Amino acid sequence: MISRLRQQLRQFPDMLLQSNVWRSVFRQGYPDNDENRSLVVMNSVFLHFHPVKVKTNTLRPAYTLGLGIISLFLFLILIFTGGVLTFLYLPTTEQAYIFIQELHTSVPFGALLRNAHRWAAHLMVLSVFLHMMRVFYTGGYKHPREFNWVIGVILLVITFLLSFTGYLLPWDQLSFWAITVGTNIAGYTPFMGAEVRALLLGSTTVGGEALLRFYVLHLVLLPALLIILLGVHFWRIRKDGGLSAPLHAEEVEK
Amino acid sequence: MSTQEFSPQQRDKDHGLVEVMGRSTPMVNKGPEDTLPSWPYLFVWEALLFLGISALLLAMSILIDAPLREAANPNLTENPAKAPWYFLNLQELLLHMNPSLAGVIVPTIVLIFLMSIPYLDRNFSDIGIWFASRKGKLITVWSTIYTVPLLVGLILFDQYIRVRALISEPEIIPGWIIPIGVMGLLSVGLYAVIRPFRPNTREVLVAYFTGFVVTFFILTIASTFFRGLGMNLTLPWDLPPGALSF
Ligand code: HEM
């Protein structure tokens, strides 16, 4: 009796992996052989961004420092936390501040949600900058990756702008004066400063129009741009044969 | 019940665009011996990183509350009024030169410099090697040693002696000519420091990129932690409440 049960338990993983429910989701068996390890990558929309095989150099933590992936994960966390925050916020000068206050006082886990969104944003700015430094100092921008580096610089600028536009949304003294200072800087653009500033603010001072503009930029336009360019960024990494690596393996040791 | 007979056999599929071959890789110039399957070697790392970041972020969010001051009031100026920290480097520059130069022209030139790096350095024999070479490492260190004291010195000079106290008229001299001259001299000086190494193109770029990164961090730190009321220099523990712009 007991031994029969044991036997059945032992067979259970195999049964599960071969059941038509499991196979309808994953299509291949557990990736413990070369064939299934390839299929698992090719059959999954999420994994297929990756190659089936990676260079050993790519796996060295001391090479990438994981910073590109860290930037991506922070961005995904920001999309998720930001998405939930959107349920709890309206961009009007009368209400915005009250909504943020309520996160701290009456929304369950509201403060945690806001904190996570804010700290992830700061960390993302930092990690994207450090990722740029890693790519530079390892020579990862070299042929044929020149243009992916250029896309990277644009990604850095968009990351700055995403963080900057989000900064206004709590509509407290910190955000109001930071955005006043920031848009004043844009207002020093030679020959068309006033126009650039008016375009950003929708007015001559930071007010309801600016709040609406920053809200739409922060929730729709800049994230869309970032996602599209990230798609290009990753696609190009694949087309360039994966990550850069020293031409001769022994140079890794030095 | 066996489900085998109901599930289509993967092996029967004969129309895949990609065929799996034993021990080979599509990568150019790379033998199969230099590669590992992504499953599990890459995915384990990614999963661990995701868990690590989530844990860090959760801990941070529990321990530190995001700031929330009084509601925005256009009639009550914050002192100091600071931009978010990653723009404070520009705000720091603003204190020392004409605002168009500091706020728009210098950052535009920096972005153009960054984007042109791969087109200036066309040699890829040293791709994938940290700091290019031993020489490159020394150049990175020397560029840092050169940049830090000079920048700190310039910030202190402009606070306690003040360029504008020495010469304020016409505006073009303290606003444009002196700062452009100083930045030009700093750049030429950096080249003079690394010239004895006989650097190649990449190593020259390493020096200038290092100069940029160090400047970015020094200006950001100075403006974040050392600027108090009226953006005057202060020690971090004397900062007025709420002078940190996170
Ligand atoms: C939103 C921001 C960004 C994200 C999420 C991102 C993501 C990634 C990821 C996941 C990789 C794979 C290797 C690694 O983890 O290091 C990568 C590689 C690369 N990134 Fe980024 N990146 C971003 C911004 C940038 C920036 C600012 C630059 C440069 C200015 C840049 C230039 C590159 C280049 C050239 C590679 C290929 C490096 C190599 O082959 O060694 N990226 N990026």
Side-chain angles (χ1 to χ4, degrees):
Chain A
M1 176 69 191
I2 298 275
S3 72
R4 250 191 68 190
L5 194 70
R6 246 202 222 131
Q7 175 136 26
Q8 279 184 344
L9 270 179
R10 210 171 296 134
Q11 285 170 349
F12 180 73
D14 280 339
M15 263 174 62
L16 183 71
L17 257 64
Q18 287 179 5
S19 71
N20 48 8
V21 176
W22 181 277
R23 283 302 168 99
S24 74
V25 181
F26 294 110
R27 291 176 195 274
Q28 76 289 320
Y30 191 78
D32 52 6
N33 58 51
D34 269 359
E35 184 185 3
N36 280 348
R37 282 174 173 177
S38 310
L39 290 172
V40 74
V41 173
M42 292 188 270
N43 285 345
S44 154
V45 67
F46 300 109
L47 297 186
H48 97 280
F49 294 116
H50 304 82
V52 167
K53 291 184 167 189
V54 286
K55 296 172 204 161
T56 45
N57 186 66
T58 300
L59 295 169
R60 281 171 54 221
Y63 190 68
T64 63
L65 306 175
L67 287 164
I69 288 290
I70 290 177
S71 307
L72 175 68
F73 287 161
L74 286 169
F75 182 55
L76 295 180
I77 292 173
L78 283 163
I79 292 181
F80 178 75
T81 50
V84 182
L85 283 171
T86 310
F87 289 127
L88 305 161
Y89 176 87
L90 282 177
T92 68
T93 50
E94 294 82 32
Q95 290 166 290
Y97 181 74
I98 299 170
F99 278 114
I100 304 292
Q101 253 182 342
E102 282 176 351
L103 287 176
H104 286 273
T105 52
S106 51
V107 178
F109 299 108
L112 190 72
L113 192 65
R114 171 165 186 246
N115 294 348
H117 193 72
R118 195 171 183 103
W119 302 139
H122 286 322
L123 288 177
M124 181 174 167
V125 172
L126 193 66
S127 76
V128 172
F129 197 92
L130 294 177
H131 168 62
M132 173 182 75
M133 289 173 63
R134 162 337 245 172
V135 173
F136 176 81
Y137 284 117
T138 57
Y141 57 81
K142 286 165 182 263
H143 182 77
R145 300 178 178 81
E146 300 97 324
F147 193 64
N148 219 10
W149 167 270
V150 175
I151 291 174
V153 176
I154 301 172
L155 285 172
L156 177 72
V157 174
I158 298 177
T159 306
F160 280 156
L161 292 180
L162 259 172
S163 181
F164 183 66
T165 49
Y167 209 83
L168 180 64
L169 303 185
W171 203 249
D172 65 342
Q173 282 288 74
L174 190 64
S175 51
F176 183 89
W177 290 102
I179 277 27
T180 302
V181 170
T183 50
N184 278 347
I185 297 182
Y188 293 123
T189 310
F191 311 117
M192 44 180 198
E195 288 80 359
V196 170
R197 197 159 173 278
L199 183 71
L200 283 173
L201 296 182
S203 162
T204 50
T205 53
V206 180
E209 299 87 350
L211 185 55
L212 182 61
R213 281 185 191 202
F214 276 48
Y215 179 76
V216 175
L217 284 170
H218 187 73
L219 267 78
V220 184
L221 298 180
L222 291 172
L225 206 59
L226 193 75
I227 289 169
I228 292 170
L229 284 178
L230 273 183
V232 181
H233 197 55
F234 297 150
W235 184 79
R236 288 192 80 108
I237 293 176
R238 294 292 309 277
K239 293 290 156 181
D240 294 337
L243 294 194
S244 57
L247 292 180
H248 310 289
E250 59 277 17
E251 274 163 330
V252 173
E253 262 64 66
K254 278 202 279 190
Chain B
M1 184 187 84
S2 161
T3 53
Q4 199 57 45
E5 56 247 4
F6 298 111
S7 69
Q9 290 267 309
Q10 192 67 51
R11 259 166 256 278
D12 293 340
K13 202 170 119 179
D14 59 356
H15 54 273
L17 270 177
V18 183
E19 191 49 65
V20 183
M21 317 223 297
R23 307 260 80 207
S24 82
T25 167
M27 287 166 193
V28 188
N29 292 338
K30 287 279 155 193
E33 61 281 3
D34 290 343
T35 63
L36 284 170
S38 301
W39 186 296
Y41 297 98
L42 177 60
F43 299 146
V44 160
W45 274 115
E46 294 189 355
L48 283 178
L49 271 179
F50 188 73
L51 288 178
I53 290 167
S54 309
L56 175 84
L57 204 60
L58 195 61
M60 247 182 115
S61 307
I62 291 171
L63 295 176
I64 322 171
D65 257 342
L68 186 65
R69 308 261 181 82
E70 305 76 49
N73 182 353
N75 302 317
L76 189 74
T77 314
E78 282 276 295
N79 189 359
K82 289 190 184 179
W85 62 270
Y86 40 83
F87 285 155
L88 275 180
N89 38 69
L90 293 183
Q91 206 181 337
E92 175 68 36
L93 271 190
L94 225 53
L95 299 170
H96 307 291
M97 57 189 79
N98 181 286
S100 296
L101 186 59
V104 185
I105 298 172
V106 169
T108 306
I109 291 173
V110 168
L111 284 178
I112 293 173
F113 162 70
L114 287 177
M115 291 196 196
S116 59
I117 286 174
Y119 302 97
L120 298 172
D121 175 14
R122 306 296 299 159
N123 169 4
F124 59 91
S125 64
D126 54 4
I127 189 170
I129 300 168
W130 273 98
F131 303 104
S133 54
R134 227 189 89 72
K135 210 199 284 175
K137 278 183 199 146
L138 288 174
I139 288 176
T140 310
V141 172
W142 277 107
S143 309
T144 310
I145 293 176
Y146 166 85
T147 313
V148 174
L150 277 177
L151 270 182
V152 173
L154 282 169
I155 292 175
L156 292 173
F157 180 89
D158 211 19
Q159 170 82 23
Y160 295 107
I161 303 178
R162 287 191 66 228
V163 174
R164 274 171 206 277
L166 300 178
I167 178 161
S168 64
E169 287 291 318
E171 159 63 20
I172 190 168
I173 295 181
W176 294 86
I177 295 176
I178 292 180
I180 291 177
V182 169
M183 289 187 284
L185 276 178
L186 283 177
S187 312
V188 175
L190 181 55
Y191 187 69
V193 167
I194 60 161
R195 220 179 101 104
F197 291 105
R198 303 178 158 276
N200 63 20
T201 311
R202 174 159 177 209
E203 286 153 354
V204 173
L205 288 173
V206 164
Y208 281 100
F209 185 84
T210 306
F212 155 67
V213 167
V214 171
T215 306
F216 183 93
F217 282 116
I218 293 271
L219 294 183
T220 308
I221 292 169
S223 196
T224 303
F225 296 109
F226 294 91
R227 294 259 174 215
L229 291 179
M231 292 302 273
N232 281 307
L233 283 186
T234 329
L235 291 171
W237 43 92
D238 294 334
L239 282 178
L244 293 178
S245 56
F246 301 127

